[in-house]
Amino acid sequence: MEAVASILLVIVSLLLIATVLLQSGKSAGLSGAISGGAEQLVGKQKARGLEAVLSRATVVLGTLFFLLTLAVAFFM
């Protein structure tokens, strides 16, 4: 059981890294910090399309990573 949990933990961690790296940044440097940050706070734009899928996948994979980490620590 420990080996299966460890293998799943490695797979989930690699998928989590990939989904985080695929997401686009929220601001484009200094100009985005000055003007773009206020638009996102006031506008409350919802993510659509690929951004929504990546956001949900990140939450799911993060939760799986947390649970698998606890399982591996418990079985060791």
Side-chain angles (χ1 to χ4, degrees):
M1 184 68 179
E2 179 183 344
V4 173
S6 296
I7 291 170
L8 283 175
L9 182 62
V10 170
I11 292 169
V12 168
S13 63
L14 290 174
L15 289 173
L16 183 61
I17 290 169
T19 56
V20 169
L21 289 177
L22 284 174
Q23 292 179 5
S24 62
K26 296 294 180 187
S27 64
L30 185 59
S31 64
I34 294 171
S35 64
E39 292 174 6
Q40 288 183 0
L41 288 176
V42 175
K44 294 184 180 179
Q45 299 173 355
K46 291 187 177 182
R48 293 190 178 118
L50 183 60
E51 291 179 12
V53 172
L54 287 174
S55 177
R56 289 185 188 117
T58 303
V59 171
V60 169
L61 288 171
T63 305
L64 281 174
F65 179 78
F66 178 74
L67 294 174
L68 284 172
T69 304
L70 289 177
V72 168
F74 179 73
F75 289 123
M76 288 185 87

